[in-house]
Amino acid sequence: MNKSETAGGGPLLAEDYRKARKEVSDIVIAPFDENKAKGVGYNLAASMLVYSVNKKRLVKVKENDREVYIEIALHDTVLTLSHEYLVVDGDIAGTFHSKVRCSAMGLGNVSTTLDPNWRGKLLFSLNNPTKRKIKLVIEEKNDGDRKAVGLITMVLYRIAGKEEHITAKELHLDNPPMRTDIWQDLTERPSGIHAQAYEEFQKIVQEIPEFEAPKGERHAQLQRVIDTAIEVRQKILRGESIGAIRAATVPTEEALRSSGDIELKEKFDAWNGKFNEKSEDESYKIKDVAELAKDDALKEMEDKLVQECHYLMLCEDVRLQEEFIQKRIERYWDGQRLTRLLKRMLNYRAFAVLSGSVLIAMSFLGIISLDEAMPTLQKLGFVIAPVIVDVVVNLFGVHKPDQKG
């Protein structure tokens, strides 16, 4: 399998990441955004799963018309998974570094390593050592599109003398590490009102690596391309006519015509073109199927086509996993509505005592007249009415979408 260009010892360059994506070679980043490959690194984004080490619960992800973001509390450390799924060969290792923009906001420096043969998403910790909360944008919105924002730069290196190729079998979500052991070890069960939130979070941590992406239409479409390649290879080995081989590729060719998968179409057209090459006299170059069976270039094109399908399946698995995480987080916050209400009510305790005392004092002084015939419950309701109104107003204000940047 082809490798990125940089020799062992030096960091890979942006062009190496782009080439690795095109050839699905020794570095696989799913999903891949060529705009995040810059200089000597690739900028990784964060997922929606963000956990506060100090508060021992998930951090609320907020959004407005322009962006999706979190707020990291002062002196807090948050854990988050990478938006991308990463697969590297045995001769690839790496380091992770803070982007200058994040450091300039006050976030602590990120400095950790990537081992060879890594498979899965990555776990990052982000620390706020300042005395103020820091807003961190996760996604940017533009004309209906959402784009994950690169927060951490990954720098990869080739280890001289080491080599282990990625196979198609490895390009799927197979219990990715994601360092769930760290999620569990560093989070102790809190007492009191946040205990339920912690238990729900631990369920999410356990469910993520066990997640199996459902095989929908996207997988079926890509599997049909793979099946076409297998069918053609079998026809070649059986010595069937070139006409039968060309006919086998037509349905897939028509299906891909309207596809937005540029790389897949290019690789399919290159492979399919071998059966339809014509000479200057408009006659087909391939006249004997036996020639195809011995054509190493055709076999390489076939392998690249199948590998591309497996890569796109991996991207779909990652997308579905991210959807799963978001739904679980929504369930998490739905389950915390009562907890947040109780917290707010506890915060109103001082207000309740103060306002009730004032009203009682005013009634004794005759400023407010309470009829002796008024039932006790009505009197009590009169005293606590301001508190009830305040709680109701704040309850309905809890879930209003954020409108500020």
Side-chain angles (χ1 to χ4, degrees):
M1 187 176 295
N2 293 329
K3 290 184 162 294
S4 47
E5 297 292 345
T6 306
L12 302 185
L13 306 178
E15 188 57 34
D16 296 318
Y17 293 98
R18 296 190 186 101
K19 182 178 180 181
R21 161 61 192 100
K22 188 175 183 65
E23 299 182 351
V24 192
S25 59
D26 49 347
I27 303 163
V28 173
I29 302 172
F32 181 86
D33 181 353
E34 65 176 16
N35 294 319
K36 288 187 171 67
K38 295 182 178 181
V40 295
Y42 185 92
N43 295 323
L44 299 170
S47 72
M48 298 293 179
L49 186 68
V50 186
Y51 182 83
S52 167
V53 174
N54 286 356
K55 297 180 181 179
K56 298 181 175 61
R57 61 181 185 272
L58 290 179
V59 175
K60 185 73 172 178
V61 177
K62 304 178 181 180
E63 63 179 286
N64 53 41
D65 294 337
R66 303 183 305 277
E67 57 201 11
V68 177
Y69 65 94
I70 60 170
E71 291 176 337
I72 305 176
L74 61 161
H75 303 308
D76 195 6
T77 297
V78 299
L79 305 177
T80 184
L81 288 176
S82 64
H83 172 71
E84 298 84 359
Y85 186 97
L86 182 67
V87 184
V88 297
D89 269 356
D91 65 338
I92 298 291
T95 55
F96 300 97
H97 309 271
S98 301
K99 291 194 68 179
V100 174
R101 179 173 62 86
C102 294
S103 297
M105 290 190 299
L107 289 177
N109 288 328
V110 173
S111 180
T112 186
T113 58
L114 177 75
D115 294 331
N117 293 316
W118 177 266
R119 308 282 188 274
K121 288 196 171 187
L122 299 143
L123 174 66
F124 294 118
S125 65
L126 301 171
N127 172 253
N128 176 9
T130 71
K131 296 180 180 180
R132 55 181 173 78
K133 65 182 179 182
I134 294 178
K135 174 183 172 182
L136 189 64
V137 178
I138 296 176
E139 289 185 353
E140 294 176 341
K141 298 179 180 179
N142 186 18
D143 295 331
D145 293 330
R146 296 165 72 112
K147 182 179 179 182
V149 176
L151 300 175
I152 295 170
T153 300
M154 174 178 67
V155 179
L156 298 180
Y157 303 82
R158 174 155 292 106
I159 305 170
K162 299 283 186 180
E163 185 171 343
E164 181 177 324
H165 296 310
I166 296 171
T167 65
K169 184 179 179 181
E170 294 170 313
L171 289 180
H172 66 286
L173 237 58
D174 184 17
N175 293 335
M178 296 185 286
R179 299 313 306 269
T180 50
D181 57 323
I182 294 179
W183 289 91
Q184 295 167 348
D185 292 344
L186 294 185
T187 53
E188 299 176 357
R189 188 181 192 280
S191 59
I193 201 168
H194 295 302
Q196 183 182 358
Y198 170 82
E199 290 171 1
E200 284 299 315
F201 166 72
Q202 284 297 340
K203 288 180 182 178
I204 297 175
V205 171
Q206 292 167 7
E207 290 172 0
I208 291 175
E210 297 172 359
F211 172 77
E212 292 185 8
K215 309 305 179 188
E217 177 54 32
R218 176 63 168 164
H219 282 86
Q221 176 197 43
L222 295 167
Q223 187 59 51
R224 284 193 289 270
V225 178
I226 295 174
D227 292 342
T228 299
I230 294 173
E231 180 185 359
V232 167
R233 174 57 54 180
Q234 291 174 341
K235 287 181 179 294
I236 291 173
L237 295 176
R238 288 196 297 263
E240 295 188 23
S241 69
I242 189 68
I245 292 173
R246 292 193 189 106
T249 67
V250 171
T252 303
E253 182 180 8
E254 293 177 349
L256 289 178
R257 195 165 292 159
S258 59
S259 170
D261 298 312
I262 297 175
E263 284 291 338
L264 180 61
K265 286 199 292 186
E266 287 181 357
K267 290 174 181 177
F268 180 86
D269 290 343
W271 170 77
N272 190 39
K274 291 289 290 185
F275 314 123
N276 296 283
E277 286 182 320
K278 291 185 178 182
S279 302
E280 292 182 0
D281 60 358
E282 291 300 309
S283 63
Y284 288 105
K285 287 186 177 181
I286 300 293
K287 302 183 183 301
D288 186 358
V289 175
E291 296 178 32
L292 296 175
K294 301 174 184 178
D295 193 332
D296 292 336
L298 176 63
K299 185 64 172 68
E300 184 177 349
M301 291 177 183
E302 177 188 317
D303 291 342
K304 286 183 177 181
L305 175 61
V306 172
Q307 193 83 338
E308 179 68 20
C309 289
H310 282 292
Y311 170 77
L312 294 175
M313 285 179 175
L314 173 62
C315 289
E316 178 67 2
D317 288 346
V318 172
R319 186 189 69 80
L320 291 172
Q321 186 187 60
E322 191 68 20
E323 276 189 5
F324 168 78
I325 290 173
Q326 289 188 33
K327 289 178 180 177
R328 285 297 283 113
I329 291 175
E330 289 173 5
R331 283 172 52 190
Y332 171 93
W333 286 111
D334 286 343
Q336 299 310 306
R337 288 182 180 177
L338 179 59
T339 300
R340 296 200 299 278
L341 174 58
L342 290 174
K343 282 184 63 181
R344 286 180 175 273
M345 292 179 68
L346 290 173
N347 291 337
Y348 300 140
R349 182 172 54 192
F351 172 77
V353 172
L354 178 62
S355 60
S357 300
V358 170
L359 288 173
I360 291 171
M362 293 174 70
S363 67
F364 275 119
L365 294 173
I367 300 175
I368 297 178
S369 177
L370 296 179
D371 190 342
E372 292 182 1
M374 182 183 294
T376 303
L377 287 178
Q378 290 186 20
K379 294 178 181 178
L380 179 61
F382 176 78
V383 172
I384 67 172
V387 182
I388 294 175
V389 172
D390 200 32
V391 169
V392 171
V393 169
N394 278 277
L395 174 61
F396 284 98
V398 167
H399 304 291
K400 289 180 180 178
D402 176 71
Q403 298 297 328
K404 296 180 181 180

